[in-house]
Amino acid sequence: MTRRENAGRRRGAFREPRACLLVVCGAEATEPAYFQGLKESRRNPAVAIKVKAKPADPETVVRYAAGLRDTAADSYDEVWCVVDVDEFDVAKAVVTARRVRVNLAISNPCFEYWLLLHFEACVAPLTCYSEVARRLRRHVPEYDKSALRFADYASGVEAAVDRALEPGHALTTEHEHNPATGVGALVKKVL
């Protein structure tokens, strides 16, 4: 075909291939509900997300996620584990995650810190879940760890990402700093 003959032809639509993310949460309810709600709310056609819950210590969650990836034979482009510091020794999970090529989104002291960032910037150290939940209830009075409603957070997602990824705040060692969260990096990929 000559250049002139080809000039009148339309090119077919081109779409980047979908990125497929596996998100394994170290809790039964809160984190899975958040990521399922984010997935349904934003419906990003460029990203497919599979959300799984594995209530366990962070190292067990990382091993479980790596096992799911390995048995799925290249189904996932990235594997992420969402875990809290709480009372766990997260340093072991960090070493294991690097070794098995799994990404971590760690929240210190807890996932509720990520939820709090949807409403306010917070850089003061937080001691425990109850302290973070008390501050979160100023914005979401009916907050219930076992019944998270994503709609309560939907309008603040981008603000939370921005706050979590601010210079000096975005870390790869969230488990060593309080407060800190790596969830913003994961959510940015989903968006």
Side-chain angles (χ1 to χ4, degrees), residues 73-126:
D74 297 326
S75 294
Y76 304 109
D77 297 303
E78 292 184 36
V79 177
W80 286 80
C81 292
V82 179
V83 297
D84 293 353
V85 168
D86 287 332
E87 72 281 355
F88 298 114
D89 177 7
V90 178
K92 288 171 57 177
V94 170
V95 170
T96 301
R98 282 188 193 126
R99 186 172 44 77
V100 299
R101 299 172 332 276
V102 167
N103 300 292
L104 283 176
I106 302 169
S107 293
N108 188 359
C110 56
F111 186 75
E112 283 70 16
Y113 173 65
W114 164 252
L115 298 177
L116 182 62
L117 290 178
H118 287 66
F119 305 101
E120 65 180 76
C122 176
V123 294
L126 300 162

Side-chain angles (χ1 to χ4, degrees), residues 1-78:
M1 210 181 267
T2 68
R3 181 181 227 172
R4 183 174 212 153
E5 292 171 325
N6 197 26
R9 301 182 89 209
R10 284 187 54 177
R11 291 182 75 185
F14 176 76
R15 180 181 286 176
E16 291 291 324
R18 287 173 60 144
C20 190
L21 306 178
L22 172 63
V23 177
V24 180
C25 303
E28 185 72 41
T30 310
E31 292 89 330
Y34 180 89
F35 282 100
Q36 197 61 43
L38 180 66
K39 172 185 170 181
E40 292 167 6
S41 168
R42 298 306 165 101
R43 298 186 191 278
N44 182 350
V47 179
I49 308 162
K50 180 164 184 135
V51 180
K52 300 284 266 179
K54 177 65 174 173
D57 66 274
E59 187 175 21
T60 300
V61 174
V62 168
R63 292 179 189 283
Y64 175 76
L68 288 176
R69 178 203 55 216
D70 295 347
T71 59
D74 297 326
S75 294
Y76 304 109
D77 297 303
E78 292 184 36

